[in-house]
Amino acid sequence: MTVQPNTPHVPRHPDRLREGYDRMVRAAGVDGRFIRRRSAQVHVIEAGDGPPVVHLHGNNTSSLSHLMLLEHMPRARSYLVDRPGFGLSDPDPFPRNGLRQWAVAFLDEVLDELGLGAAVLAGASGGGSWSVWYALDRPERVRGLVLVGSVPLLPGARIPAGIRLMATPLLGGFLGRTVKPGRRTLLRLMSSMGEGDTILRYPDLFASLLDAAHDPVATAADTAEFRALLSPFGVRSGARIRPDELRRLPVPTLMIWGDRDPVVPVADARSAADLIPNARLEVLPAGHVPQLGNPARVAELMEGFTRSCATP
């Protein structure tokens, strides 16, 4: 069971969200704990035995979006990390300038606190961007890279209109404070990501997404990260993952893509895979979140890849 540390000076996630999160972790039969960074607490879910794989979730969600994978990958040691401000982790201001370097430093601290010299990184959507940045800057600490669903900073990405609005000065902050989607709005959003049917298979996860949409800590983190990544004119130059960087990505890479992913379509995923020296692309019947409709297959691919990267 997860216990929230007593840190009254840090904005707290609402009780309803924390209670629902704890229920899901207990129901999955796994453990959650907090690790201490220099400036904030980070929540981590742990399960399995074997070579380590560190999961980084996408935006508008938390580590709960990877929880369904754990029962299918017992032969890897999974660490599901709530990124700053999401899930149960403390908020930490996303710097407008230098987000990439800040994210790399965050992962340095997390790996150090977990006692991991190196690990496979499994990043979904926005968490995939952080994973690619880290693999480029710290290749000695990355045994392999798994991209679970499309990475919105890859060449060919189509940033959804709603996210572009969140990055707009003044308007984005106003929307983050005042627009709180209900069940119908959230379902439309998931449908636009190709996952309108699959999310309904996970009523507890769907409820957690609704709770997060009403969590001022999580919505502030979403808005801050989007504004650090995007300007009104597109992706900020320091955040973009360029083709020349993919050509020098030095670690084995597994790309697990949905055939209906609207953010980076499969054709652009294949182009990205062709640029990466040691990449493999697996396409599944899915939208932007392939583990929702294919948990056992995604877990099988991830566990097999993690174990192969642990073999000299």
Side-chain angles (χ1 to χ4, degrees):
M1 176 178 177
T2 297
V3 178
Q4 181 81 356
N6 184 20
T7 52
H9 62 286
V10 176
R12 284 170 56 91
H13 297 282
D15 289 344
R16 177 186 174 94
L17 181 143
R18 293 187 292 110
E19 291 164 3
Y21 192 116
D22 280 341
R23 280 196 302 272
M24 289 184 66
V25 171
R26 288 197 303 270
V30 295
D31 296 315
R33 66 182 174 104
F34 288 88
I35 59 174
R36 184 74 194 176
R37 287 179 58 225
R38 172 174 38 85
S39 56
Q41 299 271 1
V42 177
H43 185 256
V44 182
I45 298 170
E46 300 179 51
D49 293 299
V53 52
V54 174
H55 301 238
L56 297 170
H57 62 82
N59 296 88
N60 296 306
T61 184
S62 70
S63 290
L64 297 178
S65 60
H66 288 216
L67 198 59
M68 73 288 292
L69 297 172
L70 298 183
E71 66 175 303
H72 302 291
M73 46 188 307
R75 298 192 304 153
R77 181 64 173 174
S78 289
Y79 300 89
L80 278 57
V81 177
D82 284 330
R83 297 192 297 131
F86 299 99
L88 298 185
S89 287
D90 289 344
D92 204 347
F94 290 94
R96 186 72 58 86
N97 297 312
L99 175 64
R100 178 170 174 163
Q101 293 76 17
W102 182 87
V104 168
F106 169 83
L107 286 172
D108 273 337
E109 291 184 72
V110 166
L111 290 183
D112 288 346
E113 288 299 316
L114 292 175
L116 300 175
V120 168
L121 294 185
S125 191
S129 298
W130 288 32
S131 299
V132 174
W133 292 339
Y134 196 75
L136 287 166
D137 286 11
R138 300 284 192 272
E140 71 281 2
R141 302 199 72 173
V142 181
R143 291 177 178 168
L145 183 63
V146 184
L147 304 180
V148 189
S150 65
V151 176
L153 301 183
L154 286 180
R158 293 138 174 84
I159 306 297
I163 292 178
R164 294 199 302 272
L165 285 174
M166 291 291 286
T168 304
L170 300 180
L171 178 60
F174 174 77
L175 290 174
R177 290 190 301 271
T178 60
V179 178
K180 308 300 181 186
R183 177 182 175 87
R184 186 174 301 175
T185 302
L186 182 57
L187 190 56
R188 282 201 300 268
L189 173 63
M190 293 302 298
S191 296
S192 73
M193 293 290 103
E195 303 292 357
D197 293 330
T198 50
I199 189 61
L200 295 178
R201 303 177 192 176
Y202 302 91
D204 290 340
L205 177 59
F206 190 75
S208 78
L209 297 175
L210 281 173
D211 288 341
H214 293 80
D215 175 3
V217 176
T219 55
D222 260 327
T223 302
E225 184 171 12
F226 290 145
R227 293 182 69 177
L229 290 171
L230 305 170
S231 76
F233 308 103
V235 178
R236 297 185 188 277
S237 59
R240 189 184 305 276
I241 299 169
R242 303 185 308 271
D244 64 289
E245 291 182 303
L246 295 179
R247 292 189 185 97
R248 59 182 178 83
L249 192 60
V251 301
T253 303
L254 172 63
M255 302 168 64
I256 305 175
W257 235 253
D259 60 359
R260 304 184 307 278
D261 195 313
V263 179
V264 179
V266 170
D268 292 298
R270 290 198 175 98
S271 297
D274 288 342
L275 293 173
I276 299 169
N278 185 7
R280 167 186 164 202
L281 174 65
E282 291 279 348
V283 180
L284 303 179
H288 187 57
V289 193
Q291 70 268 28
L292 292 181
N294 310 271
R297 179 57 177 156
V298 170
E300 177 187 32
L301 290 167
M302 192 182 298
E303 183 184 77
F305 178 79
T306 298
R307 291 181 66 81
S308 73
C309 291
T311 304

